[in-house]
Amino acid sequence: MENITEENITEDVIVGIDVSRDRLDVAVRPGDACFNVPRTEEGIDSLIRRLGQSSPGQSTVRLVVLEATGGFETMVAAGLAGAGL
């Protein structure tokens, strides 16, 4: 499992999120970063911090693909949009 760090962000980042009632399964490309966080306010805050770790001048998250899952995605989409992701 690879963390998103300043050293390994060299291209535009694309994030895919599989949403379930209790957690978010996250995949980040390029690279092999895969992780999960709880689908809670704290988990979403953690996700936002983790995705926002790039520095100015480096590539950043360009696209987030979020699975629509019976309304469970609403708080996730709102949190990501509020953070500018």
Side-chain angles (χ1 to χ4, degrees):
M1 206 178 297
E2 178 183 11
N3 287 327
I4 300 171
T5 65
E6 292 180 17
E7 291 78 28
N8 64 14
I9 295 178
T10 58
E11 301 177 39
D12 290 344
V13 175
I14 299 170
V15 180
I17 303 174
D18 180 44
V19 179
S20 68
R21 178 179 38 184
D22 298 322
R23 74 178 199 196
L24 307 173
D25 293 317
V26 183
V28 181
R29 299 294 181 258
D32 294 324
C34 294
F35 58 94
N36 60 59
V37 296
R39 196 186 63 82
T40 62
E41 187 174 331
E42 294 80 13
I44 294 168
D45 288 345
S46 171
L47 172 63
I48 291 167
R49 281 191 306 275
R50 195 163 180 179
L51 295 179
Q53 289 179 348
S54 61
S55 298
Q58 291 187 319
S59 297
T60 58
V61 174
R62 296 289 179 212
L63 177 67
V64 177
V65 179
L66 183 68
E67 176 192 25
T69 309
F72 292 132
E73 75 283 354
T74 305
M75 70 185 282
V76 182
L80 292 171
L85 293 170

